[in-house]
Amino acid sequence: MSAREPQQAQPPSGSAEPDAAGGYEAVAPHWFYCKVTDARERWIPFSAQDSGRLEEAHSAGKDKEDVVVPTSGGRYDVHLKTRQRVAVYWEEEASEVRRCTWFYKGDKDNKYIPYSETFSEELEEAYMTAVTQDEWKKKLESPSREIIILHNPKLMVHYHPVATSDDWGSTPTEQGRPRTVKRGVENIAAEIPNGEPLQIDHLVFVVHGIGPACDIRFRSIVQCVNDFRNVSLSMLQAHFKKAQEQQQIGRVEFLPVNWHSSLHSTGVDVDLERITLPSINRLRHFINDTILDVFFYNSSTYCQTIVDTVASEMNRLYQLFLQRNPLFKGGVSIAGHSLGSLILFDLLTNQKAAPEEDEHSEEGARTTASNRRVEEVKEILKELELSEYCEVFEREKMDRQALFLCTEANLKEMGIPLGPRMKILHYISSKREMQDQSTAAPQHKECGSPSQHNPDNTDDGRNCQYRDIGLGQVSANYPQLNYKPTIFFAFGSPIGMFLTVRGVKRINPNYSLPTCKGFFNIFHPFDPVAYRIEPMIVPDVEFEPMLLPHHKGRKRMHLELKEGLTRMSVDLKNNLLGSLRVAWQSFTRAPLPALEAASTEGEGEAETSADKQPDTKAEEPPPAVKEEASPINVGRLNGGNRIDYVLQEKPIESFNEYLFALQGHLCYWESEDTVLLVLKEIYQTQGITLDQPLPGSQ
């Protein structure tokens, strides 16, 4: 069920005229809560599911007790006695809650506002009397001394008096602009969501970047994550409908992690205020509140505050979530936006795997290294054109190290003939000479890359690369998490840039995060803060990031048109150049005798094709157009899968990439393509796939 799907309209209880018998039907109540934004009140309906629970508790007479009803998927609690809605996982002002039956239209935005519960009961009693006794034109006075007149079941009006008795000493009249009054929530066209699935399959913690605002509308991390969650519910219904119908899945819960308020509550803002110049006050305040977070993170003092806050908050949220959801058996993933992704990356690189996992990983590394050395022996024999002896060496369990220790007697004992023996011994002696020459001169070995000089080297570079990844990190005591994340998602992340600035030139392909086996780097093509990761793992190969498929199953039209025109222009250019080359060669070639023409016709065609071949290869489509011919090995950081994923820009964004650069950095919260990738990868770990695979996806 989608949280955005409106509730089916209930049969109107009070909108129709009473029947001949004067029948009265009680109004169906619905529960609302008041959300205050910029000093403006907005009444929002609870989902049909939550309103039903609240009404059930109210009908059971639990209002007089301090009963707490969880709502909004367990993220908010409603205290029935005090009529307050309180956030569970983060700090937020409590909201007023009402059991609503009667509404009037507001002055400013034409939204319907519920009357108080007490006055609604008075209105309902007057309405019941009017219906049963057929006595209309009734006047009621609200607590604010405003007049409500019940003309008939379809016409009920709220009059705002022009003057009050305090000003003129007169009683209120129905003068002033009338406002419509409605009975029952079904008559005010409110969009009521059905509610969220009760089953939670996976938990994701989301860490924000610099500053208190997370998007172009200056909203908090709580509001942005709410949008992300709502988009995920609609994507689940659109792309995982079969699994939902079979009750294989429920939903993914996203919880925000706020560290900015803790950092700026240390008193550093007061210290900055003393030294901040008075000119361009708003700009300086904005810089102190946002941009300086990057410098704070590079300070050992405040870096410790930030990592402690993020780790302790995620551990606290995890424990609280388990207390409220004792049957939860799913996994936990983490996501970070901008600087938040760097904080999470540094935390993950400093996590300690369990001792038994270290043993298994070392054993696996030794097995992998041994298998690699056996394969190297096969490659050597293939190079020496001695592939027929591979079975002999494999039977004797000969790896590269053992091969370089072999003598002629050993090879003879293995049954290798004299000729092949000489080839192998010559190869061994030549490699030893090359090694002696290379070790004689001082060599610079890059940390994090396996040695290429020692043929007996068995180190896979994991430990060395672990130190390399941590090179340049701020000196801090990185806390440990109480769980092992399944996947790490980075949105608009500067991780690659920070690693480069710290002095990390490349990441060892064998390196993986100690406790997290999945890593996805997702970015918008115009995001000025985002950097790639894969070129640091495979620096010698140029290749494009994976293009995220559109959530509706195809590339955006302007991208398809752009690629089609590019292919067309390249093909036309290649064909034109090829035709000109053939014409020029036929013009400059000397005439051949008639007898030789037939015999050399085949050769002429071969020459022509050979001449044309380089020209057709001279112009190739740009990298963004070419399809990947073979999979690229990007190491173990994401379990051997691709890491960098780029979103498709919208048509309007392609007109001016500079104009939409800031929007590109803040677009991830409402991006259906981003949310769908997150859901796809999370549910793939549980063996659940999309209803229909999207084109271009892995």
Side-chain angles (χ1 to χ4, degrees):
M1 291 185 296
S2 170
R4 293 183 172 182
E5 183 180 347
Q7 181 192 23
Q8 297 294 326
Q10 300 175 356
S13 54
S15 59
E17 294 185 11
D19 55 23
Y24 164 77
E25 203 174 320
V27 64
H30 195 91
W31 292 73
F32 283 66
Y33 64 92
C34 182
K35 190 172 184 179
V36 180
T37 308
D38 297 330
R40 293 181 60 183
E41 292 186 353
R42 191 160 58 98
W43 286 90
I44 301 174
F46 282 97
S47 68
Q49 192 180 71
D50 291 340
S51 181
R53 287 202 202 97
L54 291 168
E55 184 62 24
E56 183 181 351
H58 170 78
S59 301
K62 296 181 179 179
D63 297 54
K64 298 178 182 179
E65 307 172 11
D66 192 15
V67 174
V68 177
V69 179
T71 61
S72 302
R75 296 181 298 277
Y76 289 89
D77 283 340
V78 171
H79 297 259
L80 275 182
K81 186 177 182 180
T82 58
R83 291 292 198 269
Q84 283 192 325
R85 175 178 179 261
V86 182
V88 173
Y89 296 104
W90 54 82
E91 293 183 3
E92 184 179 310
E93 280 192 29
S95 304
E96 181 185 353
V97 174
R98 283 185 191 174
R99 181 177 180 266
C100 305
T101 51
W102 285 77
F103 307 83
Y104 67 93
K105 186 175 286 188
D107 290 328
K108 297 180 180 178
D109 52 5
N110 289 330
K111 298 284 186 180
Y112 280 94
I113 302 171
Y115 287 105
S116 67
E117 293 187 36
T118 304
F119 187 63
S120 292
E121 290 176 0
E122 294 180 17
L123 285 170
E124 184 64 19
E125 187 176 345
Y127 179 85
M128 182 180 65
T129 303
V131 170
T132 55
Q133 300 179 7
D134 197 21
E135 297 178 0
W136 295 97
K137 302 286 185 180
K138 281 184 169 288
K139 288 186 180 181
L140 288 90
E141 185 176 336
S142 72
S144 57
R145 306 198 66 198
E146 297 174 351
I147 301 298
I148 294 90
I149 301 179
L150 308 181
H151 292 284
N152 58 59
K154 289 186 176 180
L155 181 61
M156 295 171 281
V157 186
H158 180 135
Y159 290 98
H160 185 73
V162 175
T164 63
S165 58
D166 294 335
D167 296 327
W168 301 96
S170 59
T171 59
T173 64
E174 59 267 25
Q175 300 299 319
R177 188 167 68 88
R179 291 181 286 186
T180 306
V181 175
K182 294 290 184 181
R183 175 179 180 265
V185 70
E186 64 275 359
N187 293 317
I188 65 172
E191 185 178 345
I192 302 176
N194 280 324
E196 303 175 16
L198 298 178
Q199 176 186 336
I200 299 176
D201 306 315
H202 203 88
L203 176 63
V204 180
F205 295 121
V206 185
V207 180
H208 66 85
I210 62 172
C214 296
D215 70 349
I216 201 73
R217 288 174 281 175
F218 296 97
R219 297 185 304 166
S220 67
I221 180 64
V222 173
Q223 294 170 302
C224 291
V225 172
N226 283 344
D227 273 357
F228 201 86
R229 186 186 305 108
N230 290 335
V231 175
S232 75
L233 292 172
S234 63
M235 289 295 102
L236 281 174
Q237 187 170 18
H239 294 277
F240 293 87
K241 199 166 187 178
K242 292 180 182 177
Q244 281 191 331
E245 290 173 351
Q246 297 172 4
Q247 297 184 345
Q248 292 179 328
I249 64 172
R251 64 183 176 91
V252 176
E253 180 62 278
F254 297 89
L255 295 180
V257 178
N258 188 350
W259 55 266
H260 181 269
S261 55
S262 297
L263 170 66
H264 288 264
S265 63
T266 58
V268 66
D269 287 350
V270 177
D271 298 333
L272 284 173
E273 190 67 29
R274 294 195 196 100
I275 60 176
T276 302
L277 299 181
S279 59
I280 52 173
N281 184 49
R282 290 186 179 181
L283 178 59
R284 295 185 190 276
H285 178 74
F286 174 78
I287 292 174
N288 289 350
D289 210 27
T290 56
I291 307 297
L292 287 190
D293 286 350
V294 179
F295 298 96
F296 283 136
Y297 187 66
N298 283 287
S299 159
S300 58
T301 301
Y302 295 107
C303 175
Q304 188 67 61
T305 302
I306 293 173
V307 296
D308 284 346
T309 302
V310 171
S312 62
E313 182 69 2
M314 288 198 295
N315 287 336
R316 181 190 71 84
L317 291 174
Y318 180 64
Q319 295 300 327
L320 181 58
F321 179 83
L322 291 182
Q323 289 175 11
R324 296 178 63 90
N325 301 273
L327 301 179
F328 176 73
K329 301 297 181 183
V332 182
S333 293
I334 55 178
H337 176 242
S338 189
L339 182 64
S341 64
L342 177 67
I343 298 170
L344 291 176
F345 185 80
D346 288 344
L347 271 173
L348 290 177
T349 56
N350 288 278
Q351 296 299 296
K352 297 176 182 177
E356 59 271 13
E357 289 188 1
D358 284 338
E359 293 176 4
H360 291 316
S361 63
E362 289 176 7
E363 182 180 352
R366 287 194 295 268
T367 304
T368 303
S370 176
N371 293 336
R372 186 176 67 246
R373 291 193 298 270
V374 171
E375 292 298 323
E376 287 175 354
V377 172
K378 293 183 179 180
E379 291 295 327
I380 292 172
L381 294 176
K382 186 177 179 181
E383 180 184 345
L384 299 175
E385 299 180 352
L386 301 175
S387 300
E388 63 268 25
Y389 298 103
C390 288
E391 293 183 3
V392 178
F393 281 84
E394 190 173 356
R395 185 174 62 249
E396 297 291 339
K397 298 182 179 179
M398 295 285 290
D399 58 11
R400 182 185 174 91
Q401 183 178 5
L403 177 64
F404 276 77
L405 295 174
C406 278
T407 62
E408 183 177 2
N410 299 135
L411 295 174
K412 187 176 181 180
E413 186 179 350
M414 291 170 58
I416 307 298
L418 178 60
R421 285 206 307 267
M422 292 299 102
K423 285 185 178 182
I424 295 172
L425 292 172
H426 175 71
Y427 177 85
I428 294 174
S429 61
S430 62
K431 287 294 181 182
R432 282 175 177 166
E433 289 177 5
M434 290 175 60
Q435 181 185 343
D436 293 339
Q437 291 174 3
S438 61
T439 53
Q443 296 287 335
H444 174 71
K445 178 176 175 288
E446 183 181 347
C447 184
S449 59
S451 174
Q452 298 175 355
H453 303 296
N454 184 7
D456 301 337
N457 179 40
T458 60
D459 184 15
D460 66 350
R462 181 182 178 90
N463 295 330
C464 185
Q465 182 56 38
Y466 181 78
R467 294 195 299 271
D468 197 11
I469 282 289
L471 182 67
Q473 280 184 356
V474 179
S475 177
N477 180 22
Y478 291 91
Q480 300 298 301
L481 301 176
N482 294 340
Y483 52 87
K484 296 171 186 174
T486 305
I487 306 175
F488 168 37
F489 298 98
F491 306 141
S493 172
I495 292 174
M497 180 269 288
F498 271 87
L499 290 179
T500 303
V501 170
R502 291 171 178 176
V504 180
K505 294 184 178 180
R506 64 170 298 181
I507 300 174
N508 192 310
N510 291 322
Y511 178 77
S512 63
L513 298 170
T515 59
C516 180
K517 303 309 176 187
F519 177 30
F520 290 86
N521 183 36
I522 306 165
F523 52 90
H524 190 280
F526 303 155
D527 188 340
V529 180
Y531 290 82
R532 292 190 61 187
I533 296 292
E534 291 173 341
M536 299 186 70
I537 303 173
V538 191
D540 301 328
V541 181
E542 291 188 7
F543 56 97
E544 295 296 308
M546 288 289 291
L547 184 68
L548 264 180
H550 193 263
H551 67 281
K552 291 186 178 178
R554 59 174 297 170
K555 285 185 181 179
R556 294 186 185 271
M557 186 63 70
H558 71 287
L559 292 179
E560 291 185 348
L561 181 61
K562 181 180 177 181
E563 292 184 4
L565 291 175
T566 305
R567 285 197 187 97
M568 188 184 302
S569 63
V570 170
D571 291 342
L572 286 174
K573 189 173 183 180
N574 287 339
N575 292 336
L576 180 60
L577 289 175
S579 300
L580 289 175
R581 174 59 67 93
V582 172
W584 176 256
Q585 287 176 348
S586 62
F587 177 74
T588 56
R589 185 180 296 122
L592 297 174
L595 292 176
E596 296 181 7
S599 63
T600 58
E601 185 177 353
E603 297 177 4
E605 291 179 359
E607 289 180 8
T608 303
S609 62
D611 290 333
K612 285 163 60 177
Q613 187 68 19
D615 292 325
T616 56
K617 290 185 178 179
E619 292 290 333
E620 294 184 357
V625 178
K626 290 193 296 185
E627 299 294 334
E628 294 182 15
S630 59
I632 301 171
N633 181 14
V634 290
R636 293 169 50 192
L637 194 56
N638 190 25
N641 300 314
R642 293 295 299 272
I643 301 170
D644 293 336
Y645 285 79
V646 60
L647 293 167
Q648 302 180 38
E649 73 272 15
K650 297 177 181 178
I652 191 173
E653 294 173 343
S654 61
F655 286 109
N656 191 323
E657 55 190 46
Y658 292 95
L659 189 62
F660 293 94
L662 180 60
Q663 174 64 25
H665 183 59
L666 304 173
C667 71
Y668 306 99
W669 308 115
E670 297 176 336
S671 168
E672 292 94 343
D673 300 347
T674 302
V675 174
L676 186 56
L677 175 67
V678 171
L679 294 176
K680 181 175 83 72
E681 295 302 329
I682 285 176
Y683 279 111
Q684 199 165 315
T685 62
Q686 303 177 17
I688 298 172
T689 57
L690 300 172
D691 292 341
Q692 293 182 349
L694 297 176
S697 61
Q698 277 189 328

